[in-house]
Coordinates of all heavy atoms in Angstrom, one line a residue:
M348 N -2.6 9.1 15.1 CA -2.2 8.3 14.0 C -3.2 8.4 12.9 O -4.4 8.5 13.2 CB -2.0 6.8 14.4 CG -0.9 6.6 15.4 SD 0.7 6.7 14.8 CE 1.1 5.0 14.5
S349 N -2.8 8.4 11.7 CA -3.7 8.5 10.5 C -3.6 7.2 9.7 O -2.5 6.6 9.6 CB -3.3 9.7 9.7 OG -3.4 10.9 10.4
Y350 N -4.7 7.0 9.0 CA -4.8 5.8 8.1 C -4.6 6.3 6.7 O -5.1 7.3 6.3 CB -6.1 5.1 8.2 CG -6.4 4.5 9.5 CD1 -7.3 5.1 10.5 CD2 -5.8 3.2 9.9 CE1 -7.6 4.4 11.7 CE2 -6.1 2.6 11.1 CZ -7.0 3.2 12.0 OH -7.2 2.6 13.2
F351 N -4.0 5.4 5.9 CA -3.8 5.7 4.4 C -4.2 4.4 3.7 O -3.6 3.4 3.9 CB -2.4 6.1 4.1 CG -2.0 7.4 4.8 CD1 -1.5 7.4 6.1 CD2 -2.2 8.6 4.2 CE1 -1.1 8.6 6.7 CE2 -1.9 9.8 4.8 CZ -1.3 9.8 6.1
H352 N -5.1 4.5 2.8 CA -5.5 3.4 1.9 C -4.7 3.5 0.6 O -4.7 4.6 0.0 CB -7.0 3.4 1.6 CG -7.4 2.2 0.8 ND1 -7.5 2.3 -0.6 CD2 -7.6 0.9 1.2 CE1 -7.9 1.1 -1.0 NE2 -8.0 0.2 0.0
V353 N -4.0 2.5 0.3 CA -3.1 2.5 -0.9 C -3.6 1.5 -1.9 O -3.9 0.4 -1.6 CB -1.6 2.2 -0.6 CG1 -0.8 2.2 -1.8 CG2 -1.1 3.1 0.5
M354 N -3.8 2.0 -3.2 CA -4.2 1.1 -4.3 C -3.0 1.2 -5.3 O -2.6 2.2 -5.8 CB -5.5 1.5 -5.0 CG -5.8 0.5 -6.0 SD -7.5 0.8 -6.8 CE -7.1 2.3 -7.7
Y355 N -2.5 0.0 -5.6 CA -1.4 -0.1 -6.5 C -1.9 -0.9 -7.7 O -2.5 -2.0 -7.5 CB -0.2 -0.9 -5.9 CG 0.8 -1.4 -6.9 CD1 1.8 -0.5 -7.3 CD2 0.8 -2.7 -7.3 CE1 2.7 -1.0 -8.2 CE2 1.7 -3.1 -8.2 CZ 2.7 -2.3 -8.7 OH 3.6 -2.7 -9.6
T356 N -1.7 -0.4 -8.9 CA -2.2 -1.1 -10.1 C -1.0 -1.2 -11.2 O -0.1 -0.3 -11.2 CB -3.4 -0.5 -10.8 OG1 -3.1 0.9 -11.2 CG2 -4.6 -0.4 -9.9
H357 N -1.1 -2.2 -12.0 CA -0.2 -2.3 -13.1 C -0.9 -3.0 -14.3 O -1.9 -3.6 -14.1 CB 1.1 -3.0 -12.7 CG 0.8 -4.4 -12.2 ND1 0.8 -4.7 -10.9 CD2 0.6 -5.6 -12.9 CE1 0.5 -6.0 -10.7 NE2 0.4 -6.6 -11.9
T358 N -0.3 -2.9 -15.4 CA -0.9 -3.5 -16.6 C -0.4 -5.0 -16.7 O 0.6 -5.3 -16.1 CB -0.5 -2.8 -17.9 OG1 0.9 -2.9 -18.1 CG2 -0.9 -1.3 -17.9
P359 N -1.2 -5.8 -17.4 CA -0.7 -7.2 -17.6 C 0.7 -7.3 -18.2 O 1.5 -8.2 -17.9 CB -1.8 -7.8 -18.5 CG -3.0 -7.0 -18.3 CD -2.5 -5.6 -18.0
E360 N 1.0 -6.3 -19.0 CA 2.3 -6.4 -19.7 C 3.5 -6.3 -18.8 O 4.6 -6.7 -19.0 CB 2.4 -5.3 -20.8 CG 1.4 -5.5 -22.0 CD 0.0 -5.1 -21.6 OE1 -0.2 -4.3 -20.7 OE2 -0.9 -5.6 -22.3
V361 N 3.3 -5.6 -17.7 CA 4.4 -5.4 -16.7 C 4.2 -6.1 -15.4 O 4.9 -5.8 -14.4 CB 4.7 -3.9 -16.4 CG1 5.1 -3.2 -17.7 CG2 3.5 -3.2 -15.8
C362 N 3.3 -7.1 -15.4 CA 2.9 -7.8 -14.2 C 4.1 -8.6 -13.7 O 4.8 -9.3 -14.5 CB 1.8 -8.8 -14.5 SG 1.3 -9.7 -13.1
P363 N 4.4 -8.5 -12.4 CA 5.5 -9.2 -11.8 C 5.2 -10.7 -11.5 O 6.1 -11.5 -11.2 CB 5.8 -8.5 -10.5 CG 4.5 -7.9 -10.1 CD 3.8 -7.6 -11.4
G364 N 4.0 -11.1 -11.7 CA 3.6 -12.5 -11.4 C 3.6 -13.4 -12.6 O 4.2 -13.0 -13.6
E365 N 3.1 -14.5 -12.4 CA 3.1 -15.6 -13.5 C 2.2 -15.1 -14.6 O 1.3 -14.3 -14.5 CB 2.5 -16.9 -12.9 CG 3.3 -17.5 -11.8 CD 4.7 -17.9 -12.2 OE1 4.9 -18.1 -13.4 OE2 5.6 -17.9 -11.4
P366 N 2.5 -15.5 -15.9 CA 3.5 -16.6 -16.2 C 4.9 -16.2 -16.3 O 5.8 -17.0 -16.4 CB 2.9 -17.2 -17.5 CG 2.4 -16.0 -18.2 CD 1.8 -15.1 -17.0
N367 N 5.2 -14.9 -16.4 CA 6.6 -14.4 -16.6 C 7.1 -13.8 -15.3 O 7.4 -12.6 -15.3 CB 6.7 -13.5 -17.7 CG 6.3 -14.1 -19.0 OD1 6.7 -15.2 -19.3 ND2 5.4 -13.5 -19.8
S368 N 7.1 -14.5 -14.2 CA 7.5 -13.9 -12.9 C 8.8 -13.1 -12.9 O 9.7 -13.5 -13.6 CB 7.6 -15.1 -11.9 OG 7.8 -14.6 -10.6
D369 N 8.7 -12.0 -12.2 CA 9.9 -11.1 -12.1 C 10.3 -11.0 -10.6 O 9.7 -10.2 -9.9 CB 9.6 -9.7 -12.7 CG 10.8 -8.8 -12.8 OD1 11.7 -9.0 -12.0 OD2 10.8 -7.9 -13.6
P370 N 11.2 -11.8 -10.2 CA 11.6 -11.9 -8.8 C 12.1 -10.5 -8.3 O 11.8 -10.2 -7.1 CB 12.8 -12.9 -8.7 CG 12.6 -13.7 -9.9 CD 12.0 -12.8 -11.0
E371 N 12.7 -9.7 -9.1 CA 13.2 -8.4 -8.6 C 12.0 -7.5 -8.3 O 12.0 -6.8 -7.2 CB 14.0 -7.7 -9.7 CG 14.7 -6.4 -9.3 CD 15.6 -5.8 -10.4 OE1 16.2 -6.6 -11.1 OE2 15.6 -4.6 -10.5
K372 N 10.9 -7.5 -9.1 CA 9.8 -6.7 -8.8 C 9.0 -7.3 -7.6 O 8.5 -6.5 -6.7 CB 8.8 -6.6 -10.0 CG 9.3 -5.8 -11.1 CD 8.4 -5.8 -12.3 CE 8.9 -5.0 -13.5 NZ 8.0 -5.1 -14.6
I373 N 8.9 -8.6 -7.5 CA 8.2 -9.2 -6.4 C 9.0 -8.9 -5.1 O 8.4 -8.5 -4.0 CB 8.1 -10.7 -6.6 CG1 7.1 -11.0 -7.7 CG2 7.7 -11.4 -5.3 CD1 7.0 -12.4 -8.2
N374 N 10.3 -8.9 -5.1 CA 11.1 -8.6 -3.9 C 10.9 -7.1 -3.5 O 10.9 -6.8 -2.3 CB 12.6 -8.9 -4.1 CG 12.8 -10.4 -4.1 OD1 12.0 -11.2 -3.6 ND2 13.9 -10.8 -4.8
A375 N 10.8 -6.2 -4.5 CA 10.6 -4.8 -4.2 C 9.3 -4.6 -3.5 O 9.2 -3.9 -2.5 CB 10.6 -4.0 -5.5
L376 N 8.2 -5.3 -3.9 CA 6.9 -5.2 -3.2 C 7.0 -5.9 -1.8 O 6.5 -5.3 -0.9 CB 5.9 -5.9 -4.1 CG 5.5 -5.2 -5.4 CD1 4.7 -6.1 -6.3 CD2 4.8 -3.9 -5.1
A377 N 7.7 -7.0 -1.7 CA 7.8 -7.6 -0.4 C 8.6 -6.8 0.6 O 8.3 -6.9 1.8 CB 8.5 -9.0 -0.6
K378 N 9.5 -5.9 0.1 CA 10.3 -5.1 0.9 C 9.4 -4.1 1.7 O 9.8 -3.5 2.8 CB 11.3 -4.3 0.1 CG 12.3 -3.5 0.9 CD 13.4 -3.0 -0.1 CE 14.3 -2.0 0.5 NZ 15.0 -2.2 1.7
I379 N 8.1 -3.9 1.3 CA 7.2 -3.0 2.0 C 7.0 -3.5 3.4 O 6.9 -2.7 4.3 CB 5.9 -2.9 1.2 CG1 6.0 -2.2 -0.1 CG2 4.8 -2.3 2.1 CD1 4.8 -2.2 -1.0
Y380 N 7.0 -4.8 3.7 CA 6.9 -5.3 5.0 C 8.0 -4.8 5.9 O 7.7 -4.3 7.0 CB 6.8 -6.8 5.0 CG 5.6 -7.4 4.5 CD1 5.5 -7.9 3.2 CD2 4.4 -7.5 5.2 CE1 4.4 -8.5 2.6 CE2 3.2 -8.0 4.7 CZ 3.2 -8.5 3.4 OH 2.1 -9.0 2.9
D381 N 9.2 -5.0 5.5 CA 10.4 -4.5 6.3 C 10.4 -3.0 6.4 O 10.7 -2.5 7.5 CB 11.7 -5.0 5.7 CG 11.9 -6.5 5.8 OD1 11.3 -7.1 6.8 OD2 12.6 -7.1 5.0
N382 N 10.1 -2.3 5.3 CA 10.1 -0.8 5.3 C 9.1 -0.3 6.3 O 9.4 0.7 7.0 CB 9.9 -0.3 3.9 CG 11.1 -0.4 3.0 OD1 12.1 -0.9 3.4 ND2 10.9 0.0 1.8
S383 N 8.0 -0.9 6.4 CA 6.9 -0.4 7.3 C 7.4 -0.5 8.7 O 7.2 0.5 9.5 CB 5.6 -1.2 7.1 OG 5.8 -2.5 7.6
K384 N 8.1 -1.5 9.1 CA 8.6 -1.7 10.5 C 9.7 -0.6 10.7 O 9.8 -0.1 11.8 CB 9.2 -3.1 10.7 CG 8.1 -4.1 10.7 CD 8.7 -5.5 10.7 CE 7.6 -6.6 10.5 NZ 8.1 -7.9 10.3
E385 N 10.6 -0.4 9.8 CA 11.7 0.6 9.9 C 11.2 2.0 9.9 O 11.9 2.9 10.4 CB 12.7 0.4 8.8 CG 13.4 -1.0 8.8 CD 14.2 -1.2 7.5 OE1 14.3 -0.3 6.7 OE2 14.6 -2.4 7.3
N386 N 10.0 2.3 9.4 CA 9.6 3.7 9.3 C 8.3 4.0 10.1 O 7.6 5.0 9.8 CB 9.3 4.0 7.8 CG 10.6 4.0 7.0 OD1 11.5 4.8 7.2 ND2 10.8 3.0 6.1
N387 N 8.1 3.3 11.2 CA 7.0 3.6 12.1 C 5.6 3.6 11.4 O 4.8 4.5 11.6 CB 7.2 4.9 12.8 CG 6.3 5.1 14.0 OD1 6.0 4.1 14.7 ND2 5.9 6.3 14.2
V388 N 5.4 2.6 10.5 CA 4.2 2.4 9.8 C 3.6 1.1 10.2 O 4.2 0.0 10.0 CB 4.4 2.5 8.3 CG1 3.1 2.2 7.5 CG2 4.9 3.9 7.9
K389 N 2.3 1.1 10.6 CA 1.6 -0.2 10.9 C 0.9 -0.6 9.6 O 0.1 0.1 9.1 CB 0.6 0.0 12.0 CG -0.1 -1.3 12.4 CD -0.9 -1.1 13.6 CE -1.6 -2.5 14.0 NZ -2.4 -2.4 15.1
L390 N 1.3 -1.8 9.2 CA 0.7 -2.4 8.0 C -0.5 -3.2 8.4 O -0.3 -4.3 9.0 CB 1.7 -3.2 7.2 CG 1.3 -4.0 6.0 CD1 0.7 -3.0 4.9 CD2 2.5 -4.7 5.4
H391 N -1.7 -2.7 8.2 CA -2.9 -3.5 8.6 C -3.2 -4.6 7.7 O -3.6 -5.7 8.1 CB -4.1 -2.5 8.7 CG -4.0 -1.6 9.9 ND1 -4.5 -2.0 11.2 CD2 -3.5 -0.4 10.1 CE1 -4.3 -1.0 12.0 NE2 -3.7 0.0 11.4
F392 N -3.1 -4.3 6.4 CA -3.2 -5.4 5.4 C -2.5 -5.0 4.1 O -2.3 -3.9 3.8 CB -4.7 -5.8 5.1 CG -5.6 -4.7 4.6 CD1 -5.5 -4.3 3.2 CD2 -6.5 -4.0 5.4 CE1 -6.3 -3.3 2.7 CE2 -7.4 -3.1 4.8 CZ -7.3 -2.7 3.5
F393 N -2.2 -6.1 3.4 CA -1.5 -6.0 2.1 C -2.1 -7.1 1.3 O -1.7 -8.3 1.4 CB 0.0 -6.1 2.2 CG 0.8 -5.8 0.9 CD1 2.1 -5.8 1.0 CD2 0.2 -5.6 -0.3 CE1 2.9 -5.6 -0.2 CE2 0.9 -5.4 -1.5 CZ 2.3 -5.4 -1.4
V394 N -3.1 -6.9 0.5 CA -3.9 -7.9 -0.3 C -3.8 -7.6 -1.8 O -3.6 -6.5 -2.2 CB -5.3 -8.0 0.3 CG1 -5.3 -8.5 1.7 CG2 -6.1 -6.7 0.1
A395 N -4.1 -8.6 -2.5 CA -4.1 -8.5 -4.0 C -5.3 -9.1 -4.7 O -5.9 -10.1 -4.2 CB -2.8 -9.1 -4.5
N396 N -5.6 -8.6 -5.8 CA -6.5 -9.2 -6.8 C -5.7 -9.4 -8.0 O -5.6 -8.5 -8.9 CB -7.7 -8.3 -7.1 CG -8.7 -8.9 -8.0 OD1 -8.3 -9.7 -8.9 ND2 -10.0 -8.6 -7.9
P397 N -5.1 -10.6 -8.2 CA -4.2 -10.9 -9.3 C -4.9 -10.8 -10.6 O -4.3 -10.3 -11.6 CB -3.7 -12.3 -9.0 CG -4.0 -12.6 -7.6 CD -5.2 -11.7 -7.2
T398 N -6.2 -11.1 -10.7 CA -6.9 -11.1 -12.0 C -7.0 -9.6 -12.5 O -6.9 -9.4 -13.7 CB -8.3 -11.7 -11.8 OG1 -8.2 -13.0 -11.3 CG2 -9.1 -11.7 -13.1
E399 N -7.2 -8.7 -11.6 CA -7.3 -7.3 -12.0 C -6.0 -6.5 -11.9 O -6.0 -5.3 -12.2 CB -8.4 -6.6 -11.1 CG -9.8 -7.1 -11.4 CD -10.8 -6.3 -10.6 OE1 -10.5 -5.4 -9.8 OE2 -12.0 -6.6 -10.8
H400 N -4.9 -7.2 -11.5 CA -3.6 -6.6 -11.4 C -3.6 -5.4 -10.4 O -3.2 -4.3 -10.8 CB -3.1 -6.2 -12.8 CG -3.0 -7.3 -13.7 ND1 -1.9 -8.1 -13.8 CD2 -3.8 -7.8 -14.6 CE1 -2.1 -9.1 -14.7 NE2 -3.3 -8.9 -15.2
K401 N -4.2 -5.6 -9.3 CA -4.4 -4.6 -8.3 C -3.9 -5.1 -6.9 O -4.1 -6.3 -6.6 CB -5.8 -4.1 -8.1 CG -6.3 -3.4 -9.4 CD -7.7 -2.9 -9.2 CE -8.2 -2.2 -10.5 NZ -9.6 -1.8 -10.4
M402 N -3.3 -4.2 -6.1 CA -3.0 -4.6 -4.7 C -3.5 -3.4 -3.8 O -3.6 -2.3 -4.3 CB -1.5 -4.7 -4.6 CG -0.9 -6.0 -5.2 SD 0.8 -6.1 -5.1 CE 1.3 -5.7 -6.8
Y403 N -3.9 -3.8 -2.6 CA -4.4 -2.8 -1.7 C -3.7 -2.9 -0.3 O -3.4 -4.0 0.1 CB -5.9 -3.1 -1.4 CG -6.7 -3.0 -2.7 CD1 -7.0 -4.2 -3.4 CD2 -7.3 -1.9 -3.2 CE1 -7.7 -4.2 -4.6 CE2 -8.0 -1.8 -4.3 CZ -8.2 -3.0 -5.1 OH -9.0 -3.0 -6.2
L404 N -3.4 -1.8 0.2 CA -2.7 -1.7 1.6 C -3.5 -0.8 2.4 O -4.0 0.2 1.9 CB -1.3 -1.3 1.5 CG -0.3 -2.1 0.6 CD1 -0.3 -1.6 -0.8 CD2 1.1 -1.9 1.2
L405 N -3.5 -1.1 3.7 CA -4.0 -0.1 4.7 C -2.8 0.2 5.6 O -2.4 -0.8 6.3 CB -5.2 -0.6 5.5 CG -5.8 0.5 6.5 CD1 -6.2 1.7 5.8 CD2 -6.9 -0.1 7.3
L406 N -2.4 1.4 5.7 CA -1.2 1.8 6.5 C -1.6 2.8 7.5 O -2.5 3.6 7.3 CB -0.1 2.4 5.6 CG 0.3 1.5 4.4 CD1 1.3 2.3 3.5 CD2 1.0 0.2 4.8
E407 N -1.0 2.8 8.6 CA -1.2 3.7 9.7 C 0.1 4.3 10.2 O 1.0 3.6 10.5 CB -2.0 3.0 10.9 CG -2.3 3.9 12.0 CD -3.0 3.1 13.1 OE1 -3.2 1.9 13.0 OE2 -3.4 3.8 14.1
T408 N 0.1 5.6 10.3 CA 1.3 6.3 10.8 C 1.0 7.7 11.2 O -0.1 8.2 10.9 CB 2.4 6.3 9.7 OG1 3.6 6.8 10.2 CG2 2.0 7.2 8.5
D409 N 1.9 8.4 11.8 CA 1.6 9.8 12.3 C 2.2 10.8 11.3 O 1.9 12.0 11.5 CB 2.2 10.0 13.7 CG 3.7 9.8 13.8 OD1 4.3 9.3 12.8 OD2 4.3 10.0 14.8
D410 N 2.9 10.4 10.3 CA 3.5 11.4 9.4 C 3.5 10.8 7.9 O 4.0 9.7 7.7 CB 4.9 11.7 9.8 CG 5.5 12.9 9.1 OD1 5.0 13.3 8.0 OD2 6.5 13.4 9.6
Y411 N 2.9 11.5 7.0 CA 2.9 11.0 5.6 C 4.2 10.6 5.0 O 4.4 9.7 4.3 CB 2.2 12.0 4.7 CG 2.1 11.6 3.3 CD1 1.2 10.7 2.8 CD2 3.1 12.0 2.4 CE1 1.1 10.3 1.5 CE2 3.1 11.6 1.0 CZ 2.1 10.7 0.6 OH 2.1 10.3 -0.7
I412 N 5.3 11.3 5.5 CA 6.6 11.0 4.9 C 7.0 9.6 5.2 O 7.7 9.0 4.4 CB 7.7 12.0 5.4 CG1 9.0 11.9 4.6 CG2 8.0 11.8 6.9 CD1 8.8 12.4 3.2
N413 N 6.5 9.0 6.3 CA 6.7 7.6 6.5 C 6.1 6.7 5.5 O 6.7 5.6 5.2 CB 6.2 7.2 7.9 CG 6.9 8.0 9.0 OD1 8.0 8.4 8.9 ND2 6.2 8.1 10.1
I414 N 5.0 7.1 4.9 CA 4.4 6.3 3.8 C 5.4 6.3 2.6 O 5.6 5.3 2.0 CB 3.0 6.9 3.4 CG1 2.1 6.9 4.6 CG2 2.5 6.2 2.2 CD1 1.7 5.6 5.1
E415 N 5.9 7.5 2.3 CA 6.8 7.6 1.2 C 8.1 6.7 1.4 O 8.5 6.0 0.5 CB 7.3 9.1 1.0 CG 6.3 9.9 0.2 CD 6.2 9.5 -1.2 OE1 7.2 9.2 -1.9 OE2 5.0 9.6 -1.7
K416 N 8.6 6.7 2.6 CA 9.7 5.9 2.9 C 9.4 4.4 2.9 O 10.3 3.6 2.6 CB 10.2 6.3 4.4 CG 10.8 7.6 4.5 CD 11.3 7.9 5.9 CE 11.8 9.3 6.1 NZ 12.1 9.6 7.5
T417 N 8.2 4.1 3.1 CA 7.8 2.7 3.1 C 7.5 2.1 1.7 O 7.9 1.0 1.3 CB 6.5 2.5 4.0 OG1 6.9 2.9 5.3 CG2 6.0 1.1 3.9
I418 N 6.8 2.9 0.8 CA 6.4 2.4 -0.5 C 7.0 3.2 -1.7 O 6.8 2.8 -2.8 CB 4.9 2.3 -0.6 CG1 4.3 3.7 -0.6 CG2 4.2 1.4 0.4 CD1 2.8 3.8 -1.0
G419 N 7.7 4.2 -1.4 CA 8.2 5.1 -2.5 C 9.1 4.4 -3.5 O 9.0 4.7 -4.7
H420 N 9.8 3.3 -3.1 CA 10.6 2.6 -4.0 C 9.9 1.8 -5.0 O 10.4 1.3 -6.0 CB 11.6 1.7 -3.2 CG 10.8 0.5 -2.6 ND1 10.1 0.7 -1.4 CD2 10.7 -0.8 -2.9 CE1 9.5 -0.5 -1.1 NE2 9.9 -1.4 -2.0
T421 N 8.5 1.7 -4.9 CA 7.7 0.9 -5.8 C 7.0 1.8 -6.9 O 6.3 1.3 -7.7 CB 6.6 0.1 -5.1 OG1 5.7 1.0 -4.5 CG2 7.3 -0.8 -4.0
K422 N 7.3 3.1 -6.9 CA 6.6 4.0 -7.8 C 6.7 3.7 -9.3 O 5.8 3.9 -10.0 CB 7.0 5.4 -7.6 CG 6.6 6.1 -6.3 CD 7.2 7.5 -6.2 CE 6.9 8.1 -4.8 NZ 7.5 9.4 -4.6
K423 N 7.9 3.1 -9.7 CA 8.1 2.8 -11.1 C 7.5 1.5 -11.5 O 7.6 1.1 -12.6 CB 9.5 2.9 -11.4 CG 10.1 4.4 -11.3 CD 11.5 4.5 -11.8 CE 12.0 5.9 -11.7 NZ 13.4 6.1 -12.1
L424 N 7.0 0.7 -10.5 CA 6.4 -0.6 -10.8 C 5.0 -0.5 -11.3 O 4.4 -1.5 -11.8 CB 6.5 -1.5 -9.6 CG 7.9 -1.7 -9.0 CD1 7.9 -2.6 -7.8 CD2 8.8 -2.3 -10.1
G425 N 4.3 0.6 -11.1 CA 2.9 0.7 -11.5 C 2.4 2.1 -11.0 O 3.1 3.0 -10.7
S426 N 1.1 2.1 -11.0 CA 0.4 3.4 -10.6 C 0.0 3.2 -9.1 O -0.6 2.2 -8.8 CB -0.8 3.6 -11.5 OG -1.5 4.7 -11.1
I427 N 0.2 4.3 -8.3 CA -0.1 4.2 -6.9 C -1.1 5.4 -6.6 O -0.9 6.5 -7.0 CB 1.1 4.3 -6.0 CG1 2.1 3.2 -6.3 CG2 0.7 4.4 -4.5 CD1 3.4 3.3 -5.5
S428 N -2.2 5.0 -5.9 CA -3.1 6.0 -5.4 C -3.1 5.9 -3.9 O -3.3 4.8 -3.3 CB -4.5 5.7 -5.9 OG -5.5 6.5 -5.3
I429 N -2.9 7.0 -3.2 CA -2.9 7.0 -1.7 C -4.0 8.0 -1.2 O -4.0 9.1 -1.5 CB -1.5 7.5 -1.2 CG1 -0.4 6.6 -1.7 CG2 -1.5 7.5 0.3 CD1 1.0 7.1 -1.4
T430 N -4.9 7.4 -0.4 CA -6.0 8.2 0.1 C -6.0 8.2 1.6 O -6.1 7.1 2.2 CB -7.3 7.5 -0.5 OG1 -7.3 7.4 -1.9 CG2 -8.5 8.4 -0.1
P431 N -6.0 9.3 2.2 CA -6.2 9.4 3.7 C -7.6 8.9 4.0 O -8.6 9.3 3.3 CB -6.0 10.8 4.0 CG -5.4 11.5 2.8 CD -5.8 10.7 1.7
V432 N -7.8 8.1 5.0 CA -9.1 7.6 5.4 C -9.2 7.6 6.9 O -8.2 7.7 7.6 CB -9.4 6.1 4.8 CG1 -9.4 6.1 3.3 CG2 -8.3 5.2 5.3
V433 N -10.5 7.5 7.4 CA -10.8 7.4 8.8 C -11.6 6.2 9.0 O -12.3 5.7 8.1 CB -11.5 8.7 9.3 CG1 -10.7 9.9 9.2 CG2 -12.9 8.9 8.6
D434 N -11.5 5.6 10.2 CA -12.3 4.5 10.6 C -13.7 4.9 10.7 O -14.0 6.1 10.9 CB -11.7 3.8 11.8 CG -11.8 4.7 13.1 OD1 -12.9 4.7 13.6 OD2 -10.8 5.3 13.4
F435 N -14.6 3.9 10.7 CA -16.0 4.2 10.7 C -16.5 4.9 12.0 O -17.3 5.8 12.0 CB -16.8 2.9 10.5 CG -18.3 3.2 10.5 CD1 -18.9 3.6 9.3 CD2 -19.1 3.0 11.6 CE1 -20.3 3.9 9.3 CE2 -20.5 3.2 11.5 CZ -21.0 3.7 10.4
Q436 N -15.9 4.5 13.1 CA -16.3 5.1 14.4 C -16.0 6.6 14.4 O -16.8 7.4 14.8 CB -15.6 4.4 15.6 CG -16.1 4.9 16.9 CD -17.6 4.6 17.2 OE1 -18.1 3.7 16.7 NE2 -18.2 5.6 17.9
T437 N -14.8 7.0 13.9 CA -14.4 8.4 13.8 C -15.4 9.1 12.8 O -15.9 10.2 13.1 CB -13.0 8.5 13.3 OG1 -12.1 7.9 14.2 CG2 -12.6 10.0 13.2
M438 N -15.7 8.5 11.7 CA -16.6 9.1 10.8 C -18.0 9.3 11.4 O -18.6 10.4 11.3 CB -16.8 8.3 9.5 CG -17.7 8.9 8.5 SD -17.8 7.8 7.0 CE -18.9 6.5 7.7
K439 N -18.4 8.3 12.2 CA -19.7 8.4 12.9 C -19.7 9.6 13.9 O -20.7 10.3 13.9 CB -20.0 7.1 13.6 CG -21.3 7.0 14.2 CD -21.5 5.6 14.9 CE -22.7 5.6 15.8 NZ -22.7 4.3 16.6
E440 N -18.6 9.7 14.6 CA -18.5 10.8 15.6 C -18.5 12.2 14.9 O -19.1 13.2 15.4 CB -17.3 10.7 16.4 CG -17.3 9.5 17.4 CD -16.0 9.2 18.0 OE1 -15.0 10.0 17.9 OE2 -15.9 8.1 18.7
L441 N -17.9 12.3 13.7 CA -17.9 13.5 12.9 C -19.3 13.9 12.5 O -19.6 15.1 12.3 CB -17.0 13.4 11.7 CG -15.5 13.3 11.9 CD1 -14.8 13.0 10.6 CD2 -15.0 14.7 12.5
N442 N -20.2 12.9 12.3 CA -21.5 13.2 11.8 C -22.6 13.3 12.9 O -23.7 13.3 12.6 CB -21.9 12.1 10.7 CG -21.1 12.3 9.5 OD1 -21.0 13.4 8.9 ND2 -20.4 11.2 9.0
S443 N -22.1 13.3 14.1 CA -23.1 13.3 15.2 C -23.4 14.7 15.6 O -22.7 15.7 15.4 CB -22.5 12.6 16.5 OG -22.3 11.3 16.2

């Protein structure tokens, strides 16, 4: 299984949160939870920094296409950066 760190950003003008909450956008982001279960993706965390208009996810799966199936529907809501990552123990073993 591989890990993928996802960073999602948007501008204040298109922010789905307060003060001009957009339930449709919020529901699209919330759908990530269900999509991960349906697409064999383990969602380790989904956290946000509302002040900076950023969200972070750590996903684990055996095939990148599962990531697309899980978060692809949110592409038009902001900018997404997906970075393959390894856990520290694996990195430590690589450097031994």
Side-chain angles (χ1 to χ4, degrees):
M348 298 284 261
S349 298
Y350 294 104
F351 298 88
H352 183 263
V353 179
M354 183 175 70
Y355 165 83
T356 61
H357 57 262
T358 63
E360 294 78 23
V361 297
C362 181
E365 297 296 336
N367 300 313
S368 184
D369 186 334
E371 187 175 324
K372 289 179 181 177
I373 291 171
N374 289 337
L376 292 166
K378 189 172 169 48
I379 291 171
Y380 288 102
D381 290 335
N382 285 359
S383 67
K384 292 174 187 168
E385 294 169 9
N386 293 294
N387 193 34
V388 173
K389 182 173 182 181
L390 176 57
H391 287 273
F392 62 76
F393 186 175
V394 296
N396 179 328
T398 306
E399 293 186 357
H400 302 276
K401 295 180 181 179
M402 288 177 254
Y403 303 92
L404 299 87
L405 182 62
L406 306 173
E407 181 180 3
T408 188
D409 59 353
D410 192 341
Y411 178 82
I412 195 67
N413 297 335
I414 301 296
E415 281 291 322
K416 291 177 182 176
T417 299
I418 65 170
H420 68 285
T421 65
K422 289 178 186 174
K423 292 185 179 181
L424 300 179
S426 177
I427 299 174
S428 171
I429 303 171
T430 306
V432 295
V433 296
D434 63 82
F435 183 79
Q436 188 62 36
T437 301
M438 183 181 72
K439 185 177 167 189
E440 291 170 8
L441 289 171
N442 292 308
S443 295

